[in-house]
Structures are given as C-alpha cells and as structure tokens.
Amino acid sequence: MSSTAAFYLLSTLGGYLVTSFLLLKYPTLLHPRKKQRFLSKHISHRGGAGENLENTMAAFQHAVTIGTDMLELDCHITKDEQVVVSHDENLKRSTGVNVNISDLKYCELPPYLGKLDVTFQRDLKSGP
C-alpha cells in the first residue's frame, strides 16, 4: 500500500473517530435539544390498578383526584366493533371466562370479578 493511500485511510479513520467522539459527547452540536411539551411525573398504570379495580371509572377518578399526570389504559374491539377498556385481550384473568374480547358482542361480555390480581410482569410458565 502506498504512503498516499495510507495517509488517506488514516486521516479518514481519524476524522471519523474525532467526529463520532464529539457528536457523542455534545449531541446538540448539529441539532438543538427538543423542548418537551409535556413532562409526566406520575402515570397511573391501568388507571391505578394497585389502589382500585383496574380500568374502571372509579380507578380513573381516584387517580385524577390524587393528582396523576397521565392515565394508561388499553383498548380492544368487540365483535360488533364496540371499544372496550381492558388490559388483556383475553378475559380469563379479569372475569374468569376464557374468551377473547374480539370473539364476543358487547352485550355478551361477562362482568369483571370483584377483585383482580395485580401483576405487572408476564406470567412465567413452569419448566417442561
């Protein structure tokens, strides 16, 4: 390899390394930092599932009363295209009936259980 080719290779590599270092250390050199329009400090997951029956108006109202900044909820569509607020697509955990929301009409939905287990992690299946 000629000395000219080695010079171009090293200068290109050196320039890349210096530029990468500068942009990692000072990311706003090229673009200014975006202004946050909304800063949430308190989010009520499932409407505050740890304090009330999840995804119910009582849970949402309680969360707002205690000053939550954001309510988190999940929506699903029934067979007749009605929107249902439920964390799970399958109703086994919340109603005791093993059926998907999308397989039922709105009028066929079973009622929530009076008390739900609150878990914020996936179910871990036992070994084989």
Side-chain angles (χ1 to χ4, degrees):
M1 176 160 57
S2 71
S3 62
T4 306
F7 173 76
Y8 284 122
L9 179 67
L10 289 175
S11 62
T12 303
L13 183 60
Y16 174 79
L17 291 173
V18 169
T19 303
S20 296
F21 173 78
L22 287 173
L23 291 176
L24 284 171
K25 183 132 177 98
Y26 306 103
T28 57
L29 282 176
L30 295 179
H31 303 286
R33 186 177 302 274
K34 290 183 179 180
K35 294 180 182 175
Q36 290 181 335
R37 294 183 185 158
F38 177 74
L39 180 61
S40 178
K41 295 179 182 174
H42 185 268
I43 300 172
S44 293
H45 186 247
R46 300 184 206 170
E51 299 170 338
N52 287 283
L53 190 57
E54 68 184 49
N55 292 316
T56 60
M57 286 305 296
F60 297 142
Q61 289 169 342
H62 175 73
V64 169
T65 300
I66 64 170
T68 193
D69 297 313
M70 185 182 298
L71 296 171
E72 181 276 338
L73 56 94
D74 301 288
C75 296
H76 301 279
I77 304 287
T78 61
K79 193 175 187 177
D80 56 347
E81 299 182 351
Q82 298 297 309
V83 177
V84 175
V85 176
S86 175
H87 178 70
D88 307 315
E89 164 66 16
N90 186 284
L91 296 172
K92 177 71 174 166
R93 183 183 65 87
S94 58
T95 68
V97 180
N98 188 14
V99 65
N100 288 336
I101 293 171
S102 59
D103 294 335
L104 298 175
K105 291 182 180 179
Y106 183 80
C107 64
E108 299 171 332
L109 291 172
Y112 259 21
L113 298 172
K115 183 177 181 194
L116 301 180
D117 290 333
V118 179
T119 57
F120 297 115
Q121 56 187 328
R122 294 180 183 192
D123 289 337
L124 300 176
K125 303 290 183 201
S126 300

